[in-house]
Protein backbone atom coordinates (compact mmCIF):
# COMPACT_ATOMS: atom_id res chain seq x y z
CA UNK A 1 0.00 0.00 0.00
CA UNK A 2 2.81 2.39 0.92
CA UNK A 3 4.70 1.46 -2.26
CA UNK A 4 1.64 2.21 -4.37
CA UNK A 5 1.37 5.69 -2.85
CA UNK A 6 5.03 6.38 -3.66
CA UNK A 7 4.47 5.29 -7.24
CA UNK A 8 1.45 7.56 -7.54
CA UNK A 9 3.43 10.49 -6.10
CA UNK A 10 6.29 9.81 -8.52
CA UNK A 11 3.92 9.61 -11.47
CA UNK A 12 2.25 12.82 -10.36
CA UNK A 13 5.61 14.64 -10.05
CA UNK A 14 6.69 13.43 -13.48
CA UNK A 15 3.37 14.48 -14.95
CA UNK A 16 3.69 17.94 -13.40
CA UNK A 17 7.22 18.25 -14.74
CA UNK A 18 6.12 17.28 -18.22
CA UNK A 19 3.23 19.74 -18.10
CA UNK A 20 5.57 22.56 -16.94
CA UNK A 21 8.04 21.75 -19.70
CA UNK A 22 5.23 21.80 -22.26
CA UNK A 23 4.02 25.17 -20.93
CA UNK A 24 7.53 26.64 -21.18
CA UNK A 25 7.90 25.28 -24.72
CA UNK A 26 4.54 26.69 -25.78
CA UNK A 27 5.38 30.08 -24.23
CA UNK A 28 8.81 30.16 -25.91
CA UNK A 29 7.28 29.34 -29.28
CA UNK A 30 4.65 32.00 -28.70
CA UNK A 31 7.31 34.66 -27.94
CA UNK A 32 9.33 33.65 -30.99
CA UNK A 33 6.24 33.78 -33.16
CA UNK A 34 5.37 37.22 -31.78
CA UNK A 35 8.91 38.49 -32.45
CA UNK A 36 8.78 37.06 -35.96
CA UNK A 37 5.41 38.71 -36.57
CA UNK A 38 6.80 42.05 -35.34
CA UNK A 39 9.85 41.69 -37.61
CA UNK A 40 7.68 40.80 -40.58
CA UNK A 41 5.41 43.74 -39.86
CA UNK A 42 8.43 46.09 -39.78
CA UNK A 43 9.71 44.66 -43.04
CA UNK A 44 6.28 45.04 -44.59
CA UNK A 45 6.01 48.62 -43.34
CA UNK A 46 9.48 49.80 -44.37
CA UNK A 47 10.53 47.21 -46.92
CA UNK A 48 13.90 45.49 -47.22
CA UNK A 49 15.94 43.05 -45.17
CA UNK A 50 17.55 43.71 -41.79
CA UNK A 51 21.32 43.64 -41.39
CA UNK A 52 23.42 43.59 -38.20
CA UNK A 53 25.73 46.63 -38.06
CA UNK A 54 27.91 48.50 -35.56
CA UNK A 55 26.12 51.37 -33.81
CA UNK A 56 27.71 53.92 -31.46
CA UNK A 57 26.73 53.36 -27.80
CA UNK A 58 27.88 56.87 -26.84
CA UNK A 59 29.30 60.05 -28.33
CA UNK A 60 32.79 59.32 -29.68
CA UNK A 61 35.17 62.22 -30.30
CA UNK A 62 37.48 62.57 -33.28
CA UNK A 63 40.91 61.13 -32.47
CA UNK A 64 39.53 58.50 -30.08
CA UNK A 65 40.38 54.84 -30.66
CA UNK A 66 37.50 52.39 -30.94
CA UNK A 67 37.14 49.69 -28.28
CA UNK A 68 34.32 47.38 -27.19
CA UNK A 69 32.73 50.11 -25.02
CA UNK A 70 32.17 52.37 -28.03
CA UNK A 71 29.73 50.30 -30.07
CA UNK A 72 27.12 47.58 -30.09
CA UNK A 73 25.69 45.34 -32.81
CA UNK A 74 22.13 46.13 -33.86
CA UNK A 75 19.76 45.04 -36.58
CA UNK A 76 19.13 47.84 -39.08
CA UNK A 77 16.94 48.01 -42.16
CA UNK A 78 19.23 47.53 -45.14
CA UNK A 79 17.41 50.14 -47.22
CA UNK A 80 18.13 52.79 -44.56
CA UNK A 81 21.83 51.98 -44.18
CA UNK A 82 24.66 53.98 -45.80
CA UNK A 83 26.73 52.02 -48.29
CA UNK A 84 29.83 52.05 -46.06
CA UNK A 85 28.14 50.93 -42.82
CA UNK A 86 30.48 48.77 -40.71
CA UNK A 87 29.15 45.24 -40.26
CA UNK A 88 32.22 43.51 -38.81
CA UNK A 89 33.50 44.97 -35.53
CA UNK A 90 36.99 43.62 -36.25
CA UNK A 91 37.23 46.18 -39.05
CA UNK A 92 37.17 49.09 -36.58
CA UNK A 93 38.58 47.81 -33.27
CA UNK A 94 41.68 49.80 -32.33
CA UNK A 95 41.25 52.26 -35.18
CA UNK A 96 41.30 56.04 -34.63
CA UNK A 97 38.41 58.22 -35.67
CA UNK A 98 39.04 61.19 -37.93
CA UNK A 99 35.57 62.69 -37.34
CA UNK A 100 33.15 62.57 -34.42
CA UNK A 101 30.26 60.11 -34.04
CA UNK A 102 27.11 60.73 -31.99
CA UNK A 103 25.36 58.16 -29.83
CA UNK A 104 22.98 55.94 -31.81
CA UNK A 105 24.66 56.64 -35.16
CA UNK A 106 25.51 53.78 -37.51
CA UNK A 107 29.31 53.67 -37.72
CA UNK A 108 30.63 54.08 -41.25
CA UNK A 109 34.07 53.57 -42.74
CA UNK A 110 34.31 57.21 -43.83
CA UNK A 111 34.65 58.17 -40.15
CA UNK A 112 38.11 56.62 -40.24
CA UNK A 113 39.31 58.16 -43.48
CA UNK A 114 41.93 60.89 -43.56
CA UNK A 115 40.05 64.18 -43.90
CA UNK A 116 43.05 66.48 -43.97
CA UNK A 117 42.36 69.87 -45.46
CA UNK A 118 45.16 71.52 -47.43
CA UNK A 119 46.01 75.04 -46.34
CA UNK A 120 46.60 77.83 -48.79
CA UNK A 121 49.03 80.26 -47.16
CA UNK A 122 49.05 83.73 -48.76
CA UNK A 123 52.34 84.71 -50.35
CA UNK A 124 54.77 86.37 -47.93
CA UNK A 125 52.97 85.06 -44.82
CA UNK A 126 53.52 82.08 -42.52
CA UNK A 127 50.97 79.66 -41.06
CA UNK A 128 51.16 79.15 -37.31
CA UNK A 129 48.80 77.22 -35.02
CA UNK A 130 48.13 78.33 -31.46
CA UNK A 131 45.94 76.78 -28.73
CA UNK A 132 42.41 78.09 -28.26
CA UNK A 133 39.21 77.48 -26.35
CA UNK A 134 35.58 78.29 -27.12
CA UNK A 135 35.53 80.96 -24.41
CA UNK A 136 38.58 82.71 -25.88
CA UNK A 137 37.47 82.27 -29.51
CA UNK A 138 34.18 84.21 -29.45
CA UNK A 139 32.29 81.19 -28.14
CA UNK A 140 33.76 78.95 -30.82
CA UNK A 141 32.42 81.14 -33.64
CA UNK A 142 35.84 81.72 -35.25
CA UNK A 143 36.00 80.07 -38.69
CA UNK A 144 38.45 79.86 -41.56
CA UNK A 145 38.43 82.94 -43.76
CA UNK A 146 37.76 85.43 -40.95
CA UNK A 147 40.11 88.27 -40.03
CA UNK A 148 40.65 88.63 -36.29
CA UNK A 149 42.72 90.43 -33.67
CA UNK A 150 44.82 88.46 -31.18
CA UNK A 151 45.33 89.56 -27.57
CA UNK A 152 47.68 88.04 -25.00
CA UNK A 153 46.58 88.29 -21.38
CA UNK A 154 48.58 87.41 -18.26
CA UNK A 155 48.39 88.00 -14.53
CA UNK A 156 49.29 91.68 -14.85
CA UNK A 157 48.42 93.02 -18.29
CA UNK A 158 46.75 92.41 -21.64
CA UNK A 159 48.21 93.48 -24.96
CA UNK A 160 47.35 93.36 -28.65
CA UNK A 161 49.96 91.22 -30.40
CA UNK A 162 48.43 90.71 -33.87
CA UNK A 163 45.79 92.64 -35.77
CA UNK A 164 43.59 91.85 -38.75
CA UNK A 165 45.16 88.42 -39.28
CA UNK A 166 43.60 85.80 -41.53
CA UNK A 167 42.27 82.56 -40.02
CA UNK A 168 43.38 79.66 -42.21
CA UNK A 169 41.74 76.85 -40.22
CA UNK A 170 40.49 75.78 -36.80
CA UNK A 171 40.15 72.36 -35.16
CA UNK A 172 36.48 72.33 -36.22
CA UNK A 173 37.53 72.60 -39.87
CA UNK A 174 38.49 68.93 -39.71
CA UNK A 175 35.33 67.67 -38.02
CA UNK A 176 31.76 67.34 -39.18
CA UNK A 177 28.88 68.93 -37.33
CA UNK A 178 28.82 71.91 -34.99
CA UNK A 179 29.18 70.19 -31.63
CA UNK A 180 33.00 70.06 -31.67
CA UNK A 181 34.89 72.54 -29.52
CA UNK A 182 37.68 74.78 -30.75
CA UNK A 183 41.06 73.54 -29.49
CA UNK A 184 43.44 75.33 -31.88
CA UNK A 185 43.48 78.04 -34.52
CA UNK A 186 45.84 78.39 -37.49
CA UNK A 187 46.68 81.97 -38.50
CA UNK A 188 48.44 83.54 -41.47
CA UNK A 189 50.86 86.11 -40.05
CA UNK A 190 53.98 87.98 -40.98
CA UNK A 191 57.10 85.80 -40.46
CA UNK A 192 58.35 88.35 -37.91
CA UNK A 193 55.22 87.77 -35.78
CA UNK A 194 55.55 84.00 -35.52
CA UNK A 195 58.06 84.02 -32.67
CA UNK A 196 55.98 86.42 -30.57
CA UNK A 197 52.79 84.40 -31.12
CA UNK A 198 54.44 81.11 -30.20
CA UNK A 199 56.04 82.59 -27.07
CA UNK A 200 52.78 84.24 -26.03
CA UNK A 201 50.87 80.97 -26.45
CA UNK A 202 53.26 79.29 -23.99
CA UNK A 203 53.31 81.97 -21.30
CA UNK A 204 49.93 83.72 -21.56
CA UNK A 205 46.34 83.05 -22.57
CA UNK A 206 45.40 84.11 -26.10
CA UNK A 207 42.06 85.72 -26.88
CA UNK A 208 40.80 85.97 -30.43
CA UNK A 209 38.62 89.00 -31.14
CA UNK A 210 36.33 89.34 -34.14
CA UNK A 211 35.97 93.06 -34.98
CA UNK A 212 32.95 94.41 -36.84
CA UNK A 213 33.22 95.22 -40.54
CA UNK A 214 33.08 98.94 -39.70
CA UNK A 215 36.02 98.52 -37.32
CA UNK A 216 38.00 96.70 -40.00
CA UNK A 217 37.25 99.41 -42.57
CA UNK A 218 38.21 102.11 -40.06
CA UNK A 219 41.45 100.32 -39.27
CA UNK A 220 42.12 99.93 -42.99
CA UNK A 221 41.63 103.65 -43.56
CA UNK A 222 43.92 104.36 -40.61
CA UNK A 223 46.61 102.10 -42.04
CA UNK A 224 46.29 103.82 -45.40
CA UNK A 225 46.72 107.22 -43.74
CA UNK A 226 49.75 105.98 -41.83
CA UNK A 227 51.28 104.59 -45.03
CA UNK A 228 50.55 107.87 -46.84
CA UNK A 229 52.11 109.87 -44.00
CA UNK A 230 55.13 107.57 -44.03
CA UNK A 231 55.55 108.00 -47.77
CA UNK A 232 55.27 111.78 -47.48
CA UNK A 233 57.81 111.78 -44.67
CA UNK A 234 60.23 109.82 -46.79
CA UNK A 235 59.68 112.24 -49.65
CA UNK A 236 60.36 115.22 -47.41
CA UNK A 237 63.48 113.55 -46.05
CA UNK A 238 64.82 112.97 -49.58
CA UNK A 239 64.21 116.62 -50.46
Amino acid sequence: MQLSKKRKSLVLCISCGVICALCVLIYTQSVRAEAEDTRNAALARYGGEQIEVCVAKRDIAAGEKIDSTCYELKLWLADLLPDDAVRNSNDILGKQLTSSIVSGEVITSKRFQDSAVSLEVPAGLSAVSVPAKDVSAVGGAINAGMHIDVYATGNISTSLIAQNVLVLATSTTFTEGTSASVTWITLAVEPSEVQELVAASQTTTLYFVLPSEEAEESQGDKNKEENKFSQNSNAWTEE
Side-chain angles (χ1 to χ4, degrees), residues 10-236:
L10 180 60
V11 171
L12 181 61
C13 290
I14 293 174
S15 299
C16 290
V18 171
I19 293 173
C20 289
L22 288 174
C23 289
V24 171
L25 179 61
I26 293 171
Y27 176 75
T28 302
Q29 290 179 339
S30 174
V31 170
R32 288 179 178 176
E34 184 177 353
E36 186 66 21
D37 290 342
T38 301
R39 178 179 179 276
N40 292 333
L43 291 176
R45 185 164 56 251
Y46 296 105
E49 187 58 63
Q50 288 183 317
I51 297 176
E52 193 173 56
V53 293
C54 296
V55 178
K57 293 173 64 176
R58 57 178 176 81
D59 291 345
I60 314 173
E64 189 173 347
K65 287 187 177 181
I66 298 295
D67 59 30
S68 58
T69 66
C70 298
Y71 69 91
E72 58 185 338
L73 295 174
K74 281 189 175 182
L75 287 175
W76 213 272
L77 288 170
D79 290 345
L80 302 180
L81 283 173
D83 294 335
D84 57 347
V86 177
R87 299 175 59 181
N88 189 343
S89 59
N90 292 329
D91 294 339
I92 59 174
L93 278 174
K95 288 189 175 181
Q96 190 174 42
L97 286 172
T98 55
S99 59
S100 301
I101 297 177
V102 297
S103 178
E105 178 183 343
V106 174
I107 300 177
T108 58
S109 58
K110 74 176 181 180
R111 298 297 190 184
F112 301 88
Q113 295 173 354
D114 185 9
S115 59
V117 178
S118 59
L119 297 180
E120 294 185 5
V121 184
L125 301 180
S126 298
V128 59
S129 294
V130 290
K133 296 180 180 179
D134 285 345
V135 68
S136 62
V138 197
I142 300 296
N143 294 314
M146 293 180 173
H147 285 78
I148 62 173
D149 299 336
V150 184
Y151 287 81
T153 182
N155 295 328
I156 301 176
S157 63
T158 299
S159 59
L160 175 65
I161 59 173
Q163 192 170 31
N164 194 32
V165 294
L166 174 64
V167 178
L168 294 177
T170 73
S171 55
T172 59
T173 304
F174 297 83
T175 57
E176 297 182 4
T178 58
S179 60
S181 298
V182 175
T183 56
W184 51 262
I185 291 178
T186 300
L187 304 172
V189 299
E190 296 289 343
S192 59
E193 295 177 320
V194 172
Q195 184 175 350
E196 183 179 6
L197 272 170
V198 173
S201 69
Q202 298 299 312
T203 58
T204 63
T205 299
L206 299 181
Y207 273 77
F208 309 91
V209 179
L210 182 62
S212 65
E213 293 182 1
E214 289 80 1
E216 289 182 357
E217 291 176 359
S218 176
Q219 182 61 37
D221 293 340
K222 182 179 178 182
N223 291 338
K224 288 180 181 179
E225 289 296 329
E226 289 178 349
N227 291 335
K228 183 178 179 180
F229 177 78
S230 177
Q231 291 174 358
N232 291 336
S233 297
N234 291 336
W236 295 335

